[in-house]
Amino acid sequence: GQNIDQPTEMTATEGAIVQINCTYQTSGFNGLFWYQQHAGEAPTFLSYNVLDGLEEKGRFSSFLSRSKGYSYLLLKELQMKDSASYLCAVMDSNYQLIWGAGTKLIIKP
Amino acid sequence: GAVVSQHPSRVICKSGTSVKIECRSLDFQATTMFWYRQFPKQSLMLMATSNEGSKATYEQGVEKDKFLINHASLTLSTLTVTSAHPEDSSFYICSARTGGLEEQYFGPGTRLTVT
């Protein structure tokens, strides 16, 4: 079956760095997406990785290792507004997105 | 660019009535639109995938006669919840995509409450 695993909840301190991991097993691979979702709102796109390595975009970076079926989202210089759920999703061979359950990130002052 | 709108943003209806939710891609043509449902503190659950001009593909366990999807044009898809019941109360989110490898652009969501 297809499976995306990510931690349910994480807590970090304002100004610190946090890494949210995602492991996957899917039928085929056409890229991995990270989305941010604030409570009561729709998800917003953060990043897309299809090749191995690190993609940096401001305070956010995303890493992919296809051989390990592993990705992480790295958030630096955490701000209170970064408190949200972070969703990992993999596009399978049918171009369908397989969604993880999301990681709720709590930022403390 | 890549803006998706949904209407209404919130709707309250009585049990047994039907509710229509519209999803529009405002500045691009969406070959594929997706309908998701999200219960509180849970992840997105894909309900169905629709391609313009063809019938929607429903996920297992989603009743196609209850959740009617119409994708009449490259910029509009509608979801009609027929004979709504309180257990249908949820956050319904649509997304749109231009091609196979493109990201999905999400609408702002519709919160449905059935009393």
Side-chain angles (χ1 to χ4, degrees):
Chain A
Q2 309 206 90
N3 197 48
I4 310 282
D5 284 318
Q6 50 182 132
T8 305
E9 187 173 298
M10 298 181 73
T11 302
T13 305
E14 189 177 15
I17 299 173
V18 71
Q19 178 175 311
I20 302 173
N21 295 324
C22 171
T23 57
Y24 63 89
Q25 290 179 308
T26 57
S27 55
F29 180 83
N30 277 306
L32 185 144
F33 296 80
W34 283 96
Y35 283 83
Q36 180 191 59
Q37 185 178 24
H38 285 100
E41 297 180 14
T44 56
F45 171 77
L46 289 178
S47 68
Y48 171 66
N49 294 67
V50 68
L51 299 176
D52 289 350
L54 187 68
E55 295 275 347
E56 296 186 76
K57 198 185 284 187
R59 293 189 298 114
F60 293 6
S61 303
S62 56
F63 172 83
L64 174 68
S65 169
R66 288 173 297 172
S67 62
K68 294 181 180 178
Y70 168 70
S71 172
Y72 67 72
L73 179 70
L74 191 71
L75 293 76
K76 301 177 184 176
E77 300 169 17
L78 287 170
Q79 301 174 11
M80 297 303 292
K81 67 178 183 179
D82 297 329
S83 292
S85 287
Y86 291 85
L87 308 175
C88 172
V90 172
M91 185 172 282
D92 68 9
S93 56
N94 294 319
Y95 301 107
Q96 295 278 49
L97 274 182
I98 311 301
W99 292 88
T103 298
K104 182 178 180 181
L105 178 62
I106 299 168
I107 309 295
K108 295 187 173 179
Chain B
V3 178
V4 176
S5 71
Q6 264 184 259
H7 178 81
S9 57
R10 289 180 182 271
V11 58
I12 301 173
C13 71
K14 292 186 176 180
S15 186
T17 61
S18 295
V19 174
K20 180 185 282 189
I21 303 170
E22 289 189 351
C23 177
R24 292 180 186 273
S25 56
L26 299 185
D27 52 2
F28 67 100
Q29 293 187 325
T31 54
T32 307
M33 286 187 169
F34 303 86
W35 286 96
Y36 292 88
R37 181 166 52 183
Q38 188 175 35
F39 293 104
K41 299 183 179 180
Q42 294 186 23
S43 189
L44 300 171
M45 290 174 48
L46 179 65
M47 298 175 68
T49 302
S50 74
N51 293 294
E52 184 265 339
S54 61
K55 289 184 178 180
T57 302
Y58 289 80
E59 294 298 303
Q60 195 170 11
V62 178
E63 300 173 57
K64 62 181 181 181
D65 294 331
K66 180 172 179 63
F67 299 98
L68 303 178
I69 292 172
N70 183 285
H71 193 160
S73 75
L74 285 171
T75 60
L76 173 65
S77 177
T78 60
L79 167 68
T80 302
V81 182
T82 62
S83 187
H85 291 286
E87 57 264 31
D88 298 324
S89 298
S90 186
F91 192 43
Y92 290 86
I93 310 172
C94 75
S95 69
R97 192 175 70 192
T98 55
L101 291 179
E102 294 292 320
E103 67 185 85
Q104 292 183 24
Y105 301 97
F106 285 87
T110 297
R111 187 159 302 282
L112 170 64
T113 303
V114 185
T115 60

